[in-house]
Amino acid sequence: MSSATSKALRLLVVEDADDDYRILLREVRRAGYDVVAERVTNASELAKALEQKWDLLITDWMLPGFGGLQAIEMAIAHTDGMPCIVISGTPNEDEAMSAMRAGALDFLSKDRPMRFAPAIERALREASETRAKVAFEKALRLSEERYRSAFELAPEALLTFDLDGLEIVDANLAAAKLYGRSVEQLRTGNFVDNSAVTLADGRDSLAVATDILLRMRAGQSIAPFEWLARNSDGEEIPVEVHLVRLAGDNPRLVRLTVIDLRERRKLEEVRQRTIELELQNRRIQEANRLKSEFLANMSHELRTPLNAIIGFSELLHDGQVPPTSPEHHEFLGDILTSGKHLLQLINDVLDLAKVEAGKLDFRPEKVDLSKLVNEIVSITRTTAAQKRINVDQTVSPELVDIVLDPGRFKQVAYNFLSNALKFTPEQGRVMVRCLPDTAETFRLEVEDTGVGIAPSDLGRLFVEFQQLEQGTAKKHQGTGLGLALSRRLVEAQGGSVGVHSTPNTGSTFHAVLPRQHIVVPSLPRTLTPKARTGTRTILIVEDDDRDRELIASTLAGVGYGFEIARTGRDALARCQERPFDAVTLDLLLPDMSGLDVLDTLRVGGWLRDTPVIVVTIVPDVKTAMSVSEILRKPLDGSALLSALERAGVRPGSAQVPVGGGE
Amino acid sequence: MSRILIVDDNPTNLKLVSYVVKAHGHDVATAGDAMAALASIEQQRPTLILMDLQLPGIDGLELTRRLKADPTTRSIPIIAVTAYAMKGDLEKALAAGCDDYVTKPIDTRTLPDVIARHVARAERAS
């Protein structure tokens, strides 16, 4: 029984007979073992030899003062399962039994040396198999322990759910903490029992869970979803659930990772609130600045007519102007005119204050629009004549049975008309028109051949205290109140205002008003323009803080509403929640490319025709997709406003079609 | 006889100030904007200028700066006459080079004295 290759064997032999030892070694070598052997004859020698490592112990059964049984017991006690074989000169059944019981793998007779080698081979094989099995079992035990402790002590709440029994079969400590129940209570409970009846989005939790269960059973994988857990106190906790089918022999087990979202939500809220406060602070500062500016303007505008009133009165009172002179009468006229101008200013300011306080009165009555328009044109006749401006007026004969407050209508028409006269050069033309709009509304239009307005300025026209020309070089006098007041008056009647303008060609201001006055509950408003119903809302997709704030404050400054998305995923979520009037899109977002976001939204139908303005540092962007405009960073706020104007998205004129056909 | 140039874009104010100035024996020239003012100065150098600060196009502050930068007009006294009476407006006017500052509404009884004082000083200097 020799093997082709020699096999190393460290052999320890307990044998007192030299011949027997020699025969044994011969047989072992013959079997092909490259043997290293040591012979001992008593307990102390064996004990010493056992300090070394051996592959196999072969022991004689009967030795003087020592025995095979004892040798086996020592070997097994001192080693890690060392294989032992007994070779006896006088074998019998009883000895064999006791040897095997003590752990010997074989019991051979010295008379049959040819059996030695096969027995050794078998013993070595058995020992090796035993060692492997022990090692495997140890590894398995360790792995299981590791897994258990990873499960038990994981920071996330973990549940194991049985798709067949519909039971939670296992839960960890974090789950117990989250749900306020013991692990035992959670086990054998149902997932739905530990959920709110109605989810945050209003869906029935049982129905949703059933749907998910069916999909899991059908072998589908389930994306993480938000859920409302319910703890033992009945408190509802927003959580995110991840479902994973457990690998192994039971395919019906599912691992649920339940992540408490409260902390995350709180952080998000704090962050959102911080941004809101910052923006609010900016808006307040801006409003403050505008108010100071407004006060300075008001002071100037009030002093101008007062200069004439007080100055001329002083001259007359001091007797410096003879009562018979033509100047005497003329100066009295100047005092009168200036007084009236002053009154107009004060009325405008009071009206604005009333609008701000939501206390504007309307006295609607049946009116003749032609008559009202005629009155307005008459009032401004002198101004028009001075500049030789031709004023035309038309009122559609369809517009009968109009019920509105004539005074308020004239106020708006007067503001539009005097504004047109102010900005139209000599010998220009101004047209005042009343036209049907819808069955319920009509349209007042005042068109001029004036200087026009730059697109970037259009958004500021109807905002309080905003005069397009700042500083002392204001060419056109005014309090900056007329158009803002007009807008407020029209909106308070449920209408809207708008403007269409071409620089150096002219402008058309219009108001859409109800044919029958309807009462619109007017709410107190702050002096700053802020989000209202009908405000255009822009989605700002931008991860850079500074750019985002620049865009947000630019938009807020002229009366746009806005929402913010910092990531592509956030943008997708927001667009699926509500429509936006326009989107500003950064291309380099932390989680995905801006163009991928756009692609998803366009293809998904969430942004069918919504204008998208790309704001990017990427030079030479090439996109096949429909993008309104591409603006380069660093961003110029007025360029953004102009782009929105060109896209037809203007603040606070949501119902008014602006652009062509006017 | 001293010549006073009144620069104001508001015709009523121009009329008022002109009347007051004439009544105190000065010659009066008027201008509604900066270009008209420059033309008037070119044509006949005034003894003193009453300058409204809010003018269309080039404003009164800028016009004052130009006149004070030009050696040929630097010595003409300029009195700002303005309805800007908020904090800082006086400083702005003086910084631009105005020699004095009068707010609207003007005092028709004291304005002639202010004019006379500056005219006297200008005549002494020349």
Side-chain angles (χ1 to χ4, degrees):
Chain A
M1 246 300 174
S2 70
S3 170
T5 53
S6 64
K7 297 159 277 186
L9 176 66
R10 287 179 58 80
L11 181 63
L12 181 60
V13 184
V14 184
E15 177 62 75
D16 59 331
D18 291 347
D19 286 347
D20 289 351
Y21 179 58
R22 217 167 28 245
I23 292 166
L24 175 63
L25 287 187
R26 187 194 67 208
E27 287 304 316
V28 173
R29 292 202 174 101
R30 188 180 285 164
Y33 289 99
D34 179 10
V35 69
V36 173
E38 182 175 335
R39 184 170 70 139
V40 296
T41 57
N42 56 45
S44 65
E45 284 176 8
L46 177 62
K48 194 158 183 290
L50 282 173
E51 286 168 12
Q52 296 177 52
K53 196 163 165 50
W54 301 98
D55 295 323
L56 179 66
L57 174 82
I58 295 180
T59 178
D60 189 9
W61 187 249
M62 296 287 280
L63 294 100
F66 194 46
L69 196 60
Q70 207 183 338
I72 291 165
E73 280 166 357
M74 279 177 70
I76 287 177
H78 286 87
T79 64
D80 183 16
M82 177 179 181
C84 303
I85 294 173
V86 179
I87 301 179
S88 173
T90 56
N92 68 54
E93 288 269 315
D94 290 346
E95 289 168 0
M97 281 304 288
S98 55
M100 301 296 263
R101 217 172 279 136
L105 293 174
D106 218 337
F107 194 93
L108 305 172
S109 168
K110 287 187 176 176
D111 298 342
R112 296 253 170 96
M114 75 285 290
R115 290 198 177 167
F116 293 177
I120 289 169
E121 193 157 323
R122 193 167 58 243
L124 289 171
R125 193 171 59 239
E126 267 179 39
S128 144
E129 281 169 7
T130 306
R131 271 198 305 275
K133 198 175 157 205
V134 167
F136 176 74
E137 278 169 359
K138 192 176 164 192
L140 192 64
R141 204 170 54 243
L142 265 174
S143 150
E144 233 174 41
E145 278 166 10
R146 275 196 210 111
Y147 167 78
R148 267 324 289 178
S149 66
F151 177 83
E152 299 285 356
L153 305 175
E156 304 93 11
L158 300 176
L159 302 170
T160 309
F161 187 76
D162 183 344
L163 286 176
D164 276 342
L166 300 181
E167 277 182 348
I168 296 169
V169 294
D170 206 353
N172 69 354
L173 292 171
K177 193 168 167 229
L178 176 70
Y179 287 103
R181 296 174 206 275
S182 69
V183 169
E184 293 312 314
Q185 283 172 323
L186 281 174
R187 280 184 195 146
T188 75
N190 193 309
F191 180 64
V192 174
D193 296 339
N194 294 300
S195 301
V197 176
T198 309
L199 297 178
D201 58 10
R203 289 181 302 167
D204 180 64
S205 71
L206 183 60
V208 177
T210 308
D211 175 56
I212 291 171
L213 190 72
L214 290 173
R215 282 160 59 204
M216 291 263 351
R217 279 184 169 171
Q220 288 181 28
S221 63
I222 306 292
F225 55 91
E226 288 195 1
W227 194 257
L228 264 188
R230 192 180 52 195
N231 68 12
S232 56
D233 295 334
E235 190 188 347
E236 293 179 353
I237 304 162
V239 293
E240 187 176 275
V241 180
H242 294 246
L243 289 179
V244 183
R245 199 181 287 274
L246 284 181
D249 51 358
N250 188 345
R252 293 313 205 179
L253 290 184
V254 173
R255 161 64 36 80
L256 284 79
T257 309
V258 185
I259 299 166
D260 190 340
L261 294 179
R262 284 175 297 188
E263 203 60 27
R264 201 194 288 177
R265 292 264 161 90
K266 220 180 282 168
L267 279 175
E268 270 168 22
E269 267 171 38
V270 168
R271 216 168 36 222
Q272 194 63 37
R273 185 85 192 115
T274 309
I275 289 170
E276 275 166 20
L277 283 174
E278 274 169 18
L279 286 172
Q280 205 180 332
N281 190 29
R282 267 164 208 256
R283 281 198 290 268
I284 290 169
Q285 283 176 2
E286 177 65 5
N288 240 337
R289 195 185 62 74
L290 289 175
K291 269 190 189 176
S292 303
E293 210 169 83
F294 170 72
L295 271 180
N297 282 335
M298 278 309 302
S299 162
H300 183 269
E301 295 310 312
L302 292 172
R303 279 166 187 278
T304 301
L306 273 173
N307 187 50
I309 294 168
I310 294 175
F312 284 126
S313 303
E314 250 170 21
L315 291 180
L316 297 174
H317 185 256
D318 290 354
Q320 289 194 47
V321 188
T324 49
S325 68
E327 281 95 349
H328 192 273
H329 185 252
E330 190 187 332
F331 290 175
L332 282 171
D334 287 328
I335 293 170
L336 192 60
T337 310
S338 298
K340 282 179 179 166
H341 177 63
L342 189 58
L343 180 64
Q344 181 57 48
L345 271 172
I346 291 167
N347 281 340
D348 273 3
V349 173
L350 287 181
D351 274 349
L352 189 71
K354 272 190 208 160
V355 185
E356 301 294 353
K359 286 180 183 161
L360 205 61
D361 307 322
F362 288 95
R363 294 190 183 80
E365 59 183 66
K366 198 172 167 206
V367 296
D368 178 352
L369 283 180
S370 309
K371 196 168 143 267
L372 296 181
V373 170
N374 204 33
E375 283 176 33
I376 297 299
V377 173
S378 306
I379 294 171
T380 56
R381 185 154 290 145
T382 320
T383 321
Q386 274 169 2
K387 294 178 81 175
R388 282 173 292 159
I389 294 171
N390 190 25
V391 180
D392 291 339
Q393 58 191 85
T394 48
V395 174
S396 164
E398 253 183 75
L399 296 175
V400 288
D401 295 328
I402 303 293
V403 176
L404 46 69
D405 183 326
R408 298 304 184 192
F409 175 78
K410 282 199 286 184
Q411 217 173 336
V412 173
Y414 175 81
N415 277 326
F416 282 4
L417 182 54
S418 59
N419 202 57
L421 290 172
K422 230 184 272 177
F423 291 95
T424 300
E426 295 209 353
Q427 291 177 306
R429 260 189 91 195
V430 173
M431 285 139 282
V432 184
R433 288 186 289 259
C434 287
L435 308 165
D437 190 54
T438 67
E440 286 81 36
T441 58
F442 74 96
R443 205 175 159 86
L444 164 72
E445 283 187 359
V446 177
E447 184 179 347
D448 64 51
T449 57
V451 294
I453 302 148
S456 56
D457 287 336
L458 286 174
R460 290 160 54 206
L461 273 178
F462 291 100
V463 179
E464 289 84 354
F465 318 140
Q466 295 267 359
Q467 284 172 300
L468 298 186
E469 290 174 280
Q470 294 295 326
T472 51
K474 278 190 304 182
K475 186 173 174 187
H476 307 283
Q477 302 230 347
T479 56
L481 293 179
L483 288 177
L485 185 58
S486 299
R487 190 192 92 202
R488 294 299 182 89
L489 289 172
V490 170
E491 285 177 356
Q493 296 173 77
S496 60
V497 294
V499 62
H500 174 65
S501 184
T502 312
N504 302 319
T505 303
S507 310
T508 305
F509 284 77
H510 70 255
V512 176
L513 282 160
R515 297 187 187 203
Q516 306 288 319
H517 180 89
I518 43 169
V519 178
V520 176
S522 59
L523 298 168
R525 286 175 178 156
T526 59
L527 282 169
T528 45
K530 65 172 189 182
R532 298 168 285 107
T533 321
T535 293
R536 294 294 184 100
T537 303
I538 317 294
L539 177 64
I540 303 170
V541 186
E542 174 65 72
D543 65 325
D544 182 83
D545 290 352
R546 287 173 58 134
D547 289 330
R548 196 171 54 236
E549 277 173 27
L550 170 65
I551 297 172
S553 57
T554 302
L555 294 178
V558 297
Y560 286 104
F562 63 85
E563 277 192 39
I564 282 168
R566 289 178 190 73
T567 62
R569 279 178 62 149
D570 197 357
L572 296 179
R574 278 171 197 276
C575 286
Q576 286 163 27
E577 269 167 32
R578 56 157 294 176
F580 289 93
D581 295 298
V583 175
T584 74
L585 181 66
D586 184 13
L587 293 186
L588 302 177
L589 296 170
D591 56 344
M592 56 199 288
S593 120
L595 291 178
D596 286 347
V597 174
L598 182 57
D599 195 20
T600 308
L601 290 172
R602 292 275 197 228
V603 172
W606 288 291
L607 277 189
R608 253 182 220 97
D609 304 313
T610 310
V612 172
I613 295 167
V614 167
V615 180
T616 181
I617 54 164
V618 181
D620 303 315
V621 178
K622 291 194 177 55
T623 168
M625 270 173 289
S626 46
V627 166
S628 300
E629 277 186 53
I630 297 173
L631 301 178
R632 288 287 306 281
K633 291 180 186 180
L635 182 66
D636 172 6
S638 64
L640 175 62
L641 295 178
S642 305
L644 285 168
E645 294 288 350
R646 282 191 289 275
V649 184
R650 293 171 188 179
S653 60
Q655 308 99 310
V656 186
V658 193
E662 286 185 59
Chain B
M1 188 185 246
S2 54
R3 179 183 171 87
I4 312 295
L5 171 62
I6 306 168
V7 189
D8 198 321
D9 67 329
N10 183 312
T12 314
N13 284 329
L14 212 48
K15 190 199 289 180
L16 172 69
V17 179
S18 298
Y19 191 88
V20 172
V21 173
K22 269 184 203 158
H24 285 78
H26 304 288
D27 261 356
V28 165
T30 61
D33 60 38
M35 298 324 283
L38 288 170
S40 169
I41 295 165
E42 178 86 9
Q43 198 194 3
Q44 193 183 344
R45 182 189 165 95
T47 317
L48 178 143
I49 301 170
L50 293 175
M51 180 80 80
D52 180 20
L53 295 184
Q54 182 199 280
L55 295 173
I58 298 167
D59 69 22
L61 290 176
E62 180 55 30
L63 179 58
T64 301
R65 276 190 284 271
R66 289 190 191 182
L67 293 172
K68 290 297 180 181
D70 184 339
T72 62
T73 53
R74 186 180 291 156
S75 59
I76 306 171
I78 298 177
I79 301 175
V81 181
T82 176
Y84 282 106
M86 304 291 278
K87 202 178 159 213
D89 290 331
L90 167 66
E91 285 75 8
K92 265 191 256 175
L94 297 182
C98 292
D99 296 273
D100 213 333
Y101 180 89
V102 171
T103 57
K104 293 177 185 173
I106 58 161
D107 186 334
T108 57
R109 294 158 191 171
T110 56
L111 182 64
D113 298 341
V114 176
I115 294 170
R117 199 164 63 238
H118 285 282
V119 166
R121 189 182 300 162
E123 279 167 353
R124 264 203 314 279
S126 61

